[in-house]
């Protein structure tokens, strides 16, 4: 059973040696290793976290760019629609204006024609009147070539006026 | 499979050649006394005042170690154990051949009986092995640490390869799987102790498996060594135990009649304080001692059976070598497991002494 009895001398040496080893390693050995392990672990954790964040941000950016693209496309469609509408409007307006202008010109022309016609009618009337006066003069001159006839006409005329 | 193909022919060669050489040597001492297996094993696993490395022919090659004793008769005395190589006695001291103190230094007491000196702090085989292992451990850890310091000064966080990488793996294992889960948030202040204990035990176990000098010594299979380690854990647990820990021991959360007037539970708790490191001490010691004993027993089979007959001896040599190789692999595993278990349980006990009050703990989580 001597195995189970710890030897005092060995116990003493073991405590001394282990104490010294512990002192040396705890001071100059393990802290450097543990510190670098911790540091590396921290770096890895941080890297993983930032990678995750970057990924999330990338997803967000993707969604954002998608949205921007979509709105741009909408805008484009809207602009196209507007342009089409405006073009049609313009054409319609131009057509309307052209129609109105044409009508106006037609009316003017008609008016001018009317006026010309009236002028012409008036001219004809005047000429007719002059002609009838001339004809009447000629007739009168021939009728009043003798005295008697003159007298009777004057009398007839006086009578007419008197009455 | 490839390894098996290479190793098996070697074993066969050994099995055939070994008996021949053994019998050749055996013929010279045909009338040698029977092999005392128990004595051989005990001599290998027990502490000694000299380190017997090997025997070439009749010549023993040993390292004679200094004997340092304090006795009431002579005061502090120191001499080399080589004096016992030729003389049985030196200055009144001798090595007991039998009895309770077998193999230990004894001196003649006043009443004529052989007594142990008051103090015996001789550099024995195990003490020298502890020195060697300690130096090796310090060299290894400091060289590994210098690798990190060199990188750290340059601000590089490079991952090591090779030996440093393997070492880091084990350091990381102790931190992540032993210290952190068992101690909790205060783990960092106990890391140097846990790491030192783990690597000291692991290295000593490995050195114990190596069958030739400077290995082959039974360090962690010696109860004084494991006792010293257990004392260190005891100190680590009780020196840094918090108020909750001491309250649990001196005034545990049990009905009052268990505490007053007879402090039954406190007595059990105080007893437990000592049982825990005691269990650590016995576990490590018994496991390693058993491993050494089994390996030696298998090797002894060769010599025992060879002394019976050459045929049985040859067959058994093969069996024994195969089993010894197997046990050595097992011991390699045990070397790690026992270092792990000791460190793990130390961490558990330290963690218990760092435990926060229940309500407080729940609040924290």
């Amino acid at each position: 059973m001597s195995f189970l009895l710890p030897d005092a001398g060995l116990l003493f040496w073991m405590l001394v040696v282990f104490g010294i080893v512990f002192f040396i390693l705890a001071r100059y050995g393990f802290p450097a290793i543990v510190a670098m392990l911790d540091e590396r672990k921290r770096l890895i954790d941080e890297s993983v976290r930032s990678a995750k964040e970057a990924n999330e941000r990338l997803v967000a950016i993707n969604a954002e760019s998608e949205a921007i693209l979509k709105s741009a496309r909408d805008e484009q469609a809207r602009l196209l629609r507007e342009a089409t509408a405006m073009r049609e409007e313009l054409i319609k307006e131009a057509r309307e204006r052209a129609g109105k202008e044409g009508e106006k010109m037609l009316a003017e022309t008609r008016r001018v024609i009317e006026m010309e016609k009236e002028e012409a009618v008036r001219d004809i009337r005047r000429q007719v009147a002059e002609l009838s006066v001339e004809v009447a003069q000629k007739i009168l001159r021939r009728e009043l070539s003798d005295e008697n006839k003159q007298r009777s006409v004057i009398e007839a005329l006086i009578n007419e006026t008197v009455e | 499979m490839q390894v098996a193909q290479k190793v098996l022919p070697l074993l066969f060669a050994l099995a055939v050649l070994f008996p021949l050489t053994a019998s050749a040597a055996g013929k010279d001492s045909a009338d040698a006394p029977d092999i005392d297996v128990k004595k051989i094993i005990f001599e290998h696993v027990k502490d000694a005042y000299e380190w017997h490395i090997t025997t070439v022919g009749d010549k023993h090659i040993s390292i004679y170690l200094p004997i340092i004793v304090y006795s009431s008769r002579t005061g502090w005395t120191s001499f080399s154990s080589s004096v016992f190589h030729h003389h049985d006695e030196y200055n009144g001291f001798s090595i007991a051949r039998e009895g309770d103190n077998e193999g230990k230094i004894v001196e003649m007491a006043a009443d004529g009986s052989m007594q142990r000196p008051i103090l015996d702090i001789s550099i024995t085989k195990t003490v020298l092995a502890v020195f060697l292992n300690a130096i090796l451990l310090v060299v290894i850890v400091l060289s590994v640490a210098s690798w990190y310091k060199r990188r750290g000064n340059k601000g590089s966080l490079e991952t090591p390869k090779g030996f440093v990488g393997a070492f880091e793996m084990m350091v990381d294992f102790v931190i992540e799987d032993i210290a952190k889960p068992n101690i909790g948030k205060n783990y960092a202040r106990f890391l140097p102790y846990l790491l030192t204990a783990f690597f000291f035990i692991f290295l000593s176990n490995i050195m114990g498996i190596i069958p030739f000098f400077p290995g082959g010594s039974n360090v962690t299979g010696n109860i004084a060594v494991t006792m010293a380690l257990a004392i260190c854990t005891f100190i680590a647990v009780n020196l840094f135990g918090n108020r909750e820990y001491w309250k649990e021991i001196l005034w545990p959360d049990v009905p009052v009649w268990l505490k007053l007037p007879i402090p039954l539970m406190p007595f059990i708790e105080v007893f437990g304080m000592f049982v825990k490191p005691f269990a650590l001490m016995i576990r490590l010691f018994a496991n390693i001692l058993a491993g050494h004993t089994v390996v030696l027993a298998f090797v002894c089979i060769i010599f025992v059976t060879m002394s019976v007959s050459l045929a049985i001896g040859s067959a058994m040599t093969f069996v024994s070598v195969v089993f010894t190789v197997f046990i050595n692999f097992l011991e390699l595993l045990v070397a790690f497991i026992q270092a792990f278990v000791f460190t793990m349980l130390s961490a558990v006990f330290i963690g218990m002494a760092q435990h926060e009050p229940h309500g407080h703990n729940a609040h924290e989580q």
Side-chain angles (χ1 to χ4, degrees), chain A residues 34-158:
Chain A
V34 172
M36 186 151 158
L37 274 175
D38 280 349
E39 183 65 16
R40 198 192 301 139
K41 209 156 284 165
R42 198 186 54 73
L43 181 77
I44 290 171
D45 284 351
E46 213 166 76
S47 304
V48 167
R49 197 167 44 241
S50 63
K52 205 172 157 195
E53 269 170 19
N55 210 32
E56 275 165 11
R57 212 176 303 150
L58 191 69
V59 168
I61 285 171
N62 264 347
E64 203 178 314
S65 71
E66 201 89 333
I68 288 172
L69 213 63
K70 192 176 171 294
S71 76
R73 222 170 277 142
D74 286 354
E75 183 74 13
Q76 187 195 24
R78 195 180 60 79
L79 282 174
L80 269 175
R81 229 175 12 252
E82 266 180 23
T84 314
M86 198 182 276
R87 192 188 60 197
E88 258 150 36
E89 183 88 356
L90 273 173
I91 290 172
K92 207 174 103 194
E93 204 175 302
R95 204 173 279 155
E96 266 170 22
R97 208 184 299 147
K100 258 184 219 160
E101 201 77 2
E103 240 161 59
K104 217 162 87 186
M105 274 167 82
L106 214 64
E108 185 76 4
T109 315
R110 218 171 272 147
R111 200 173 56 84
V112 168
I113 290 172
E114 199 75 15
M115 262 162 62
E116 294 285 313
K117 203 174 80 183
E118 271 170 25
E119 190 82 0
V121 168
R122 223 179 295 135
D123 212 28
I124 291 169
R125 275 209 187 117
R126 203 176 55 238
Q127 281 182 11
V128 169
E130 274 172 15
L131 277 176
S132 5
V133 167
E134 260 171 53
V135 169
Q137 270 178 341
K138 280 181 182 150
I139 293 169
L140 271 175
R141 226 168 265 142
R142 211 174 309 139
E143 287 282 314
L144 299 174
S145 47
D146 64 277
E147 213 79 22
N148 294 339
K149 274 186 185 178
Q150 277 183 4
R151 208 147 310 237
S152 62
V153 169
I154 290 166
E155 266 170 26
L157 282 172
I158 289 168

Side-chain angles (χ1 to χ4, degrees), chain A residues 2-4 6-7 9-14 17-18 21-22 25-26 28-30 33 36-37 39-41 43, chain B residues 45 116 120-121 123 127 131 134 145 148-149 157-158 160 168 172 176 193 200 222-224 227-229 285:
Chain A
S2 62
F3 282 115
L4 288 172
D7 189 68
L10 181 53
L11 182 67
F12 163 75
W13 282 115
M14 178 60 198
V17 170
F18 190 78
V21 168
F22 171 64
L25 296 188
Y28 305 107
F30 290 120
I33 302 172
M36 186 151 158
L37 274 175
E39 183 65 16
R40 198 192 301 139
K41 209 156 284 165
L43 181 77
Chain B
V45 296
R116 291 277 287 143
D120 176 9
I121 54 164
I123 308 296
V127 174
F131 285 172
Y148 285 94
K149 278 177 187 154
L157 291 173
E158 182 186 348
E168 185 188 296
D172 196 52
E176 295 296 325
Y193 171 65
F200 187 88
N222 188 301
I223 200 158
M227 188 179 185
L229 291 166
F285 152 76

Side-chain angles (χ1 to χ4, degrees), chain B residues 54-360:
Chain B
T54 186
T55 303
V56 181
D58 284 339
K59 199 171 150 58
H60 293 285
I61 298 175
S62 300
I63 296 173
Y64 294 104
L65 301 165
I67 292 169
I68 305 163
V69 288
Y70 179 81
S71 116
S72 52
R73 186 169 54 84
T74 59
W76 284 105
T77 313
S78 171
F79 53 94
S80 166
S81 66
S82 62
V83 296
F84 296 119
H85 193 46
H86 298 296
H87 310 284
D88 279 351
E89 202 199 274
Y90 174 84
N91 200 8
F93 296 102
S94 59
I95 295 178
R97 298 213 183 278
E98 56 206 0
D100 288 344
N101 295 326
E102 190 188 340
K104 300 265 171 68
I105 290 281
V106 286
E107 63 174 343
M108 184 86 79
D111 61 351
S113 66
M114 298 307 259
Q115 294 288 331
R116 291 277 287 143
I118 296 169
L119 271 174
D120 176 9
I121 54 164
S122 307
I123 308 296
T124 60
K125 180 185 172 185
T126 311
V127 174
L128 180 63
V130 167
F131 285 172
L132 291 173
N133 292 351
I135 290 167
L136 191 60
L137 179 66
V138 167
V139 168
I140 287 174
V141 176
L142 288 188
S143 63
V144 169
S146 81
W147 188 95
Y148 285 94
K149 278 177 187 154
R150 254 180 289 132
R151 300 297 186 287
N153 288 342
K154 282 187 268 172
S156 133
L157 291 173
E158 182 186 348
T159 354
K161 296 183 184 66
F163 183 79
V164 181
F167 194 87
E168 185 188 296
M169 189 190 79
M170 286 195 272
V171 172
D172 196 52
F173 172 71
V174 173
I175 297 174
E176 295 296 325
D177 294 327
I178 296 175
K180 272 188 193 171
N182 291 311
I183 301 179
K185 63 176 161 58
N186 284 339
Y187 78 95
R189 71 191 303 194
F190 298 100
L191 268 185
Y193 171 65
L194 293 176
L195 286 164
T196 308
F198 177 84
F199 283 106
F200 187 88
I201 296 168
F202 185 53
L203 186 78
S204 295
N205 291 349
I206 294 288
M207 290 299 280
I209 297 172
I210 297 170
F212 46 80
F213 184 84
S217 55
N218 179 29
V219 174
T220 35
N222 188 301
I223 200 158
V225 172
T226 60
M227 188 179 185
L229 291 166
I231 287 171
C232 291
T233 294
F234 180 80
I235 292 170
V237 169
N238 293 291
L239 207 62
F240 297 100
N242 61 9
R243 221 167 52 188
E244 177 69 12
Y245 170 71
W246 289 107
K247 187 196 155 283
E248 285 286 322
I249 287 174
L250 299 175
W251 197 253
D253 212 4
V254 290
V256 177
W257 61 269
L258 282 171
K259 296 181 277 194
L260 283 173
I262 309 159
L264 198 62
M265 281 307 288
F267 175 75
I268 291 171
E269 292 281 354
V270 170
F271 192 67
M273 275 168 62
F274 294 94
V275 166
K276 285 170 193 162
F278 187 79
L280 278 182
M281 170 178 91
I282 295 294
R283 188 190 329 268
L284 180 59
F285 152 76
N287 271 287
I288 303 303
L289 181 66
H292 279 259
T293 310
V294 170
V295 169
L296 288 166
F298 272 119
V299 175
C300 281
I301 286 176
I302 298 172
F303 300 99
V304 172
T305 52
M306 201 57 77
S307 66
V308 177
S309 110
L310 186 62
I312 299 173
S314 304
M316 283 313 289
T317 300
F318 176 71
V319 173
S320 156
V321 168
V322 169
F323 269 88
T324 310
V325 168
F326 169 72
I327 295 292
N328 261 319
F329 276 119
L330 196 68
E331 280 309 294
L332 217 53
L333 195 65
V334 170
F336 178 78
I337 290 173
Q338 287 309 316
F340 165 57
V341 167
F342 188 96
T343 319
M344 174 83 154
L345 289 176
S346 294
V348 168
F349 298 151
I350 290 170
M352 283 167 147
Q354 299 290 313
H355 208 57
E356 296 294 327
H358 299 298
H360 202 264

